[in-house]
Amino acid sequence: MWRRTVVRSAAAAENLRRFSIAASTPLIPSACIVHKRGADILHDPWFNKDTGFPLTERDRLGLRGLLPPRVISFEQQYERFMDSYRSLEKNTVGQPDNTVALAKWRILNRLHDRNETLYYKVLIDNIKDFAPIIYTPTVGLVCQNYSGLFRRPRGMYFSAKDKGEMMSIIYNWPAPEVDMIVLTDGSRILGLGDLGVQGIGIPIGKLDMYVAAAGINPQRVLPIMLDVGTNNEKLLEDRLYLGLRERRLEGEEYISIVDELMEALHKRWPKAVIQFEDFQFKWAFETLQRYRKKYCMFNDDIQGTAGVALAGLLGVVRAQGRPLLDFVNQKIVVVGAGSAGLGVLNMAYQAVSRMTGTTANPHFYLIDKDGLITKERSGVDPSAAPFAKVIGEVESIGLREGSDLLEVVKKVKPHVLVGLSGVGGIFNEQVLNAMRDSDSPKPAIFAMSNPTANAECTAADAFKYAGENIVFGSGSPFRNVELENGKIGHVNQANNMYLFPGIGLGALLSGARIVSDGMLQAASECLASYMTEEQIQKGKFYPSIGSIRNITAEVGAAVLRAAITEEVAEGRGDVGPKEIAHMSKEETVEYVKSNMWYPVYSPLVHEK
Ligand SMILES: NC(=O)c1ccc[n+]([C@@H]2O[C@H](COP(=O)([O-])OP(=O)(O)OC[C@H]3O[C@@H](n4cnc5c(N)ncnc54)[C@H](O)[C@@H]3O)[C@@H](O)[C@H]2O)c1
Ligand SMILES: O=C(O)C[C@H](O)C(=O)O
Ligand SMILES: [Mg+2]
């Protein structure tokens, strides 16, 4: 076991005294107590510095003779890695995209597995280039090939076989403190479906984003796979599949195992924030309702996505040159009535209700695999029911129950078309062409499904077929498009990565008992107001990913303040809700920033 001690200069300590708790800003690197020596340290990526161990430390930790004699500085190690990364890029030119993507993922993953400090330094400083590798889209490819790519475990794996024993298994995790947990059951990985145990890549990728964007200490994050089986026939037949080769648990059996895991997690780390990720629809809403008043948890696909989408939708109104209140008049067609689509509609509906002060009847249209959802649909899911259209209303514009996407776009002439269906290419040439008749001067197309091949359309097709005056967003990254008019068609990455790190960080630092609607609303509003008028006019609704730490600090602070207002904050360490409540807006942002971890080599001190 290990623990951290914080060693600072008196002046620096005084500066941060009021606000800092597990203060980790590297004014003077914190010293770190390790309970290992020699080769054990070299094989532990949390502490390993490779050739970066100074000679004195090599003496102290029994490393003399185990390393080549020269000490290489952190900066040199960084450059050496980046050089080999650039060579790999050069040497793989012309090879298939997937081969190159996996090669890049491998070189980063190998670095992670031997030296986390250097890995996160590389990741943070190059987040724009590396996010598409450790996150969507490459993470999808990694999950699909996980059983073959597996070298070392990362995170924890609980299975249906562990029933009754989770409380003891949880203590096998070596870190005494955990701040952020991302949990999946692998049942709906991006738009790729049920990938069973292979879905562990998603919590790993999300937590890498937590470290990069929110500055959560990587020794305090925990990716978790709850393997309750898989219904993926290919995996069930694959002899090398690493998960349970059984069908998924259902009903009471399923929920009781999630209950047990949640209890065990809460027991060991009562202050940790738990993010549910990529659960199939039928369990996503149910688990959210079941746990959201009991634990500090949220569902990223439902709630994180909703906040990011709402910020984008409000940006669209601004781009049209209309006041924000005009949001209530926007005709929005959402394609995909699952966790994400319904999450977005719920939040948009709440926004309209707040703006109108009444029970709103917004101009929202919801389409699933069976077409337009109306009140005539039998067996409609209760969470989709509030968005089912009254039949008279749709008949008046020539639509009916189950009208297809093209018909809906032609008749509704929407301001915004949102894709959260997981079906690649369904915004085809005809659908995009129909968006040319949109009632908006700047029709908006959000092809939000992941990974890239599952996006409802590409950026190039959107600008080509729907017109050069559109604004565009996609869940996975696309290159900006060179338009025929000589301008650039900007691509927004409409991805929940702009919010979940700030939601988690704000919840954590406020010591929130739960993640309330007000906290989520504050996160979305913060993101929406982050962009300047000039950026909005250029069709930019989200900041560059290069500034994700900054936006996450702002979002985190907004969530923190909302937790205080909503009276769910209990504070953290010796900074209680009262102290937070007395901070100005700027001070909350500083407070959040001062609690972000940044990769530096800490002096290691051995203790038995
Ligand atoms: N960009 C982001 O931040 C973000 C966030 C969350 C989810 N997503 C993506 O959204 C997609 C859906 O996620 P989810 O959790 O809502 O999945 P889900 O399985 O809960 O829902 C999918 C929905 O799409 C509908 N659908 C399927 N085929 C369709 C078709 N041909 N036409 C219209 N609708 C169709 C289904 O009926 C269902 O309602 C995934 O690809 C996921 O990667 C993106
Ligand atoms: O993982 C992502 O890139 C976004 C989202 O959570 C998804 O499930 O697609
Ligand atoms: Mg997800």
Side-chain angles (χ1 to χ4, degrees):
M1 282 294 157
W2 56 272
R3 71 187 157 82
R4 303 177 68 231
T5 54
V6 180
V7 181
R8 286 171 185 283
S9 75
E14 181 52 32
N15 269 342
L16 281 174
R17 192 184 54 79
R18 274 178 63 210
F19 298 147
S20 192
I21 44 168
S24 39
T25 314
L27 298 169
I28 292 175
S30 316
C32 199
I33 309 276
V34 277
H35 302 284
K36 308 179 171 183
R37 284 175 61 80
D40 286 346
I41 290 184
L42 295 179
H43 295 145
D44 186 335
W46 277 354
F47 304 113
N48 184 26
K49 304 177 186 177
D50 291 310
T51 49
F53 280 106
L55 294 178
T56 46
E57 210 161 63
R58 295 182 188 198
D59 260 345
R60 276 206 313 270
L61 299 172
L63 295 170
R64 289 284 285 269
L66 300 183
L67 286 162
R70 248 204 69 214
V71 177
I72 304 288
S73 71
F74 196 38
E75 292 70 27
Q76 285 172 314
Q77 288 182 323
Y78 176 93
E79 280 314 321
R80 192 174 52 185
F81 176 83
M82 290 307 294
D83 281 348
S84 46
Y85 182 82
R86 284 181 209 113
S87 311
L88 180 138
E89 272 190 317
K90 232 168 64 198
N91 298 336
T92 49
V93 170
Q95 292 188 23
D97 288 352
N98 282 358
T99 310
V100 178
L102 281 182
K104 289 179 174 175
W105 178 84
R106 269 197 206 91
I107 187 174
L108 278 168
N109 195 53
R110 279 200 300 265
L111 176 60
H112 171 272
D113 286 353
R114 59 174 193 271
N115 183 336
E116 279 202 12
T117 317
L118 186 56
Y119 170 76
Y120 285 112
K121 171 78 180 155
V122 159
L123 182 62
I124 290 168
D125 288 5
N126 301 278
I127 188 68
K128 204 163 179 240
D129 291 335
F130 290 162
I133 302 170
I134 56 107
Y135 192 66
T136 192
T138 306
V139 70
L141 192 60
V142 170
C143 289
Q144 286 174 307
N145 294 285
Y146 172 80
S147 296
L149 290 168
F150 181 88
R151 294 292 176 275
R152 275 180 93 245
R154 220 174 138 178
M156 288 194 87
Y157 301 77
F158 292 86
S159 91
K161 307 277 178 232
D162 297 324
K163 181 127 184 54
E165 295 179 74
M166 295 201 181
M167 198 64 89
S168 57
I169 296 176
I170 207 91
Y171 285 89
N172 289 343
W173 185 247
E177 301 296 339
V178 165
D179 290 339
M180 274 309 313
I181 294 169
V182 178
L183 166 67
T184 191
D185 70 355
S187 54
R188 191 289 272 149
I189 293 300
L190 307 175
L192 304 169
D194 180 350
L195 294 185
V197 82
Q198 309 198 153
I200 183 72
I202 291 292
I204 291 171
K206 293 273 172 185
L207 284 162
D208 267 359
M209 290 302 280
Y210 264 108
V211 178
I216 304 290
N217 185 329
Q219 296 186 12
R220 289 168 166 251
V221 303
L222 176 53
I224 299 187
M225 161 52 62
L226 178 58
D227 181 357
V228 293
T230 178
N231 294 341
N232 180 324
E233 299 297 337
K234 228 173 113 195
L235 296 179
L236 286 170
E237 280 161 26
D238 180 356
R239 280 183 312 111
L240 295 180
Y241 174 60
L242 294 174
L244 288 186
R245 288 172 70 195
E246 293 170 7
R247 296 210 161 267
R248 282 188 176 275
L249 293 185
E250 296 292 347
E252 193 44 44
E253 271 190 308
Y254 174 86
I255 206 71
S256 69
I257 213 159
V258 189
D259 278 351
E260 185 184 334
L261 178 58
M262 290 298 281
E263 264 178 62
L265 291 171
H266 187 68
K267 184 95 187 146
R268 182 160 185 208
W269 299 294
K271 287 290 178 186
V273 181
I274 305 175
Q275 173 169 325
F276 275 51
E277 194 66 52
D278 289 8
F279 281 70
Q280 61 181 320
F281 177 68
K282 69 174 172 187
W283 292 118
F285 277 94
E286 180 141 353
T287 48
L288 180 61
Q289 292 319 325
R290 193 172 179 90
Y291 303 125
R292 72 171 304 197
K293 294 267 152 58
K294 195 167 176 196
Y295 303 115
C296 187
M297 61 79 67
F298 67 103
N299 182 301
D300 180 39
D301 299 294
I302 300 173
Q303 297 167 303
T305 312
V308 167
L310 180 62
L313 296 175
L314 294 174
V316 168
V317 180
R318 287 169 71 194
Q320 292 166 8
R322 313 280 309 169
L324 275 187
L325 275 182
D326 205 56
F327 181 61
V328 304
N329 298 317
Q330 298 281 303
K331 289 183 284 182
I332 300 173
V333 171
V334 175
V335 186
S339 313
L342 292 178
V344 171
L345 279 180
N346 267 313
M347 201 160 189
Y349 187 90
Q350 284 169 22
V352 171
S353 298
R354 274 195 307 277
M355 286 174 182
T356 56
T358 57
T359 315
N361 179 22
H363 312 279
F364 299 159
Y365 297 78
L366 180 59
I367 296 178
D368 72 356
K369 61 178 179 4
D370 301 318
L372 180 65
I373 302 182
T374 68
K375 303 275 184 214
E376 284 211 334
R377 174 88 59 103
S378 59
V380 64
D381 191 89
S383 44
F387 307 108
K389 279 285 183 209
V390 174
I391 195 75
E393 205 182 314
V394 296
E395 278 177 355
S396 69
I397 52 167
L399 294 173
R400 60 190 156 73
E401 159 56 37
S403 286
D404 70 24
L405 169 60
L406 180 59
E407 266 181 284
V408 174
V409 173
K410 279 185 171 165
K411 298 281 165 49
V412 173
K413 304 182 192 309
H415 295 82
V416 189
L417 181 60
V418 179
L420 283 162
S421 63
V423 185
I426 55 167
F427 295 174
N428 57 25
E429 185 177 339
Q430 289 168 304
V431 170
L432 292 171
N433 250 314
M435 280 300 284
R436 285 179 182 263
D437 293 329
S438 154
D439 280 338
S440 166
K442 272 194 196 287
I445 294 166
F446 287 86
M448 290 178 71
S449 289
N450 298 312
T452 316
N454 296 65
E456 283 75 9
C457 65
T458 65
D461 280 356
F463 285 100
K464 182 169 166 196
Y465 297 124
E468 300 194 336
N469 59 330
I470 64 155
V471 286
F472 180 79
S474 54
S476 297
F478 281 101
R479 284 214 175 83
N480 287 342
V481 179
E482 281 180 31
L483 304 178
E484 281 182 5
N485 63 16
K487 293 190 178 157
I488 295 291
H490 181 75
V491 174
N492 291 283
Q493 194 173 352
N495 190 293
N496 50 29
M497 69 182 178
Y498 282 113
L499 282 194
F500 71 77
I503 295 171
L505 181 60
L508 179 76
L509 293 180
S510 61
R513 279 192 308 281
I514 59 163
V515 179
S516 68
D517 280 342
M519 290 159 74
L520 297 164
Q521 188 190 322
S524 180
E525 282 170 2
C526 174
L527 180 61
S529 62
Y530 192 77
M531 303 304 280
T532 63
E533 219 37 58
E534 200 189 337
Q535 290 169 317
I536 293 283
Q537 288 317 317
K538 286 187 181 149
K540 298 183 179 178
F541 306 135
Y542 305 109
S544 153
I545 186 173
S547 57
I548 197 144
R549 265 216 172 195
N550 214 34
I551 177 65
T552 301
E554 299 281 344
V555 172
V559 171
L560 178 96
R561 291 192 299 274
I564 298 290
T565 316
E566 302 245 305
E567 298 182 354
V568 297
E570 292 178 345
R572 188 173 147 90
D574 54 8
V575 183
K578 273 206 188 108
E579 281 82 10
I580 302 173
H582 283 123
M583 293 178 198
S584 67
K585 196 172 163 198
E586 292 68 33
E587 282 171 333
T588 53
V589 177
E590 271 321 298
Y591 173 63
V592 169
K593 284 187 177 165
S594 73
N595 279 288
M596 286 179 163
W597 176 88
Y598 196 81
V600 283
Y601 282 150
S602 306
L604 301 184
V605 179
H606 177 252
E607 200 178 80
K608 274 212 174 111

